[in-house]
Amino acid sequence: MNSLKRLLADAGRVLAHEGQGDYVAGHVSLRLPDQPGRFLMKPAGIGLEEMTEDNIITVDLEGNKVEGDAGRHNEVFIHSEVLRARPDCVAVVHTHAPYAVAFSSLGKPLLAVSNDGAFFANGLPVFDETTELIITKKRGAAVARKLGKYGALLLRNHGIVTTATSVEEAIWLALKLNQACHMQLMAEWAGGPKLVGDPDQARTKGAYASRPDIHTGVFQYVVRRSRE
């Protein structure tokens, strides 16, 4: 259990170090391998980088806190409903990634302006049912339905959601999505992208350049940097 909590604390540190902290907003979760109906989660009231083995809480798929002294985020249902709908996945990230939020306001598809965009060439769902917080089970389930089989989703004017079979990949997707949005925003500022990656080539590149060793390598690299 302690090793999983350390991993989750490192995940929060990576997100904060890479500019996805929003004071005490944003959260990340990790399913317990021996109790798939429960997951570890960042508590409310602290920054992503302030998670420790002592303050991380445990939550069930109904969104109830079952262990821990700290408070529970009111957007817990993003995590509980995505993990319920995606038994293949173990981790969920939700942040107010700034470039992704700005990009979502354009109402445009994400293009392969850079290598980062290639990782979403198979599709990037946009949840636009509401721009409110996801504070009910019903809305959490709606987010999970919109996410579907994909690993990442934009919450319009709000933030991002990523999920994966490892916490390292879920974090990697969050970093790459914000970066891809940043690249396209810069192209938009210059008048709009005129040349973008071929869609078929982007899908091929995205498939071979997204691997567990890369996810883990990037994750561990940022953890080291965050401790300097």
Side-chain angles (χ1 to χ4, degrees):
M1 176 75 84
N2 284 346
S3 63
L4 293 176
K5 288 183 176 181
R6 284 194 295 272
L7 178 62
L8 193 64
D10 281 342
R13 187 174 296 109
V14 168
L15 290 167
H17 186 272
E18 293 302 293
Q20 294 197 33
D22 183 10
Y23 303 104
V24 298
H27 18 92
V28 58
S29 62
L30 178 60
R31 194 195 301 266
L32 292 173
D34 57 340
Q35 300 180 73
R38 293 186 174 188
F39 55 92
L40 302 174
M41 185 175 177
K42 171 189 172 287
I46 64 170
L48 282 161
E49 75 282 10
E50 294 183 304
M51 280 189 290
T52 67
E53 295 172 34
D54 295 327
N55 61 29
I56 287 171
I57 63 173
T58 304
V59 181
D60 65 23
L61 289 183
E62 296 303 314
N64 301 309
K65 185 178 74 172
V66 296
E67 188 175 323
D69 298 324
R72 188 211 70 184
H73 278 281
N74 60 5
E75 288 193 300
V76 65
F77 300 105
I78 293 175
H79 301 263
S80 59
E81 293 306 312
V82 168
L83 290 173
R84 185 197 305 276
R86 294 288 298 275
D88 58 313
C89 292
V90 303
V92 177
V93 171
H94 167 56
T95 70
H96 300 160
Y99 296 115
V101 173
F103 175 77
S104 75
S105 73
L106 300 181
K108 295 183 176 182
L110 185 66
L111 304 174
V113 171
S114 66
N115 286 337
D116 307 296
F119 301 118
F120 308 97
N122 284 324
L124 178 65
V126 179
F127 182 77
D128 56 6
E129 179 179 307
T130 181
T131 59
E132 288 281 354
L133 299 182
I134 310 301
I135 59 174
T136 67
K137 184 177 177 181
K138 181 179 179 180
R139 279 190 174 159
V143 168
R145 283 194 301 273
K146 177 61 74 170
L147 178 65
K149 64 180 182 180
Y150 298 98
L153 167 144
L154 289 176
L155 298 168
R156 186 170 66 79
N157 304 108
H158 180 173
I160 66 171
V161 175
T162 67
T163 191
T165 57
S166 71
V167 70
E168 293 91 344
E169 184 178 4
I171 296 295
W172 184 84
L173 285 169
L175 301 185
K176 288 297 181 179
L177 179 54
N178 197 44
Q179 213 161 278
C181 291
H182 188 187
M183 291 295 180
Q184 188 163 338
L185 280 172
M186 287 195 292
E188 297 288 345
W189 298 335
K194 302 297 188 295
L195 302 172
V196 297
D198 174 86
D200 289 335
Q201 291 180 5
R203 281 188 285 271
T204 300
K205 179 167 53 178
Y208 72 68
S210 175
R211 307 190 309 268
D213 61 310
I214 293 177
H215 307 150
T216 301
V218 168
F219 185 89
Q220 292 176 345
Y221 165 71
V222 182
V223 169
R224 292 194 301 272
R225 283 187 60 195
S226 71
R227 290 174 174 163
E228 290 178 352

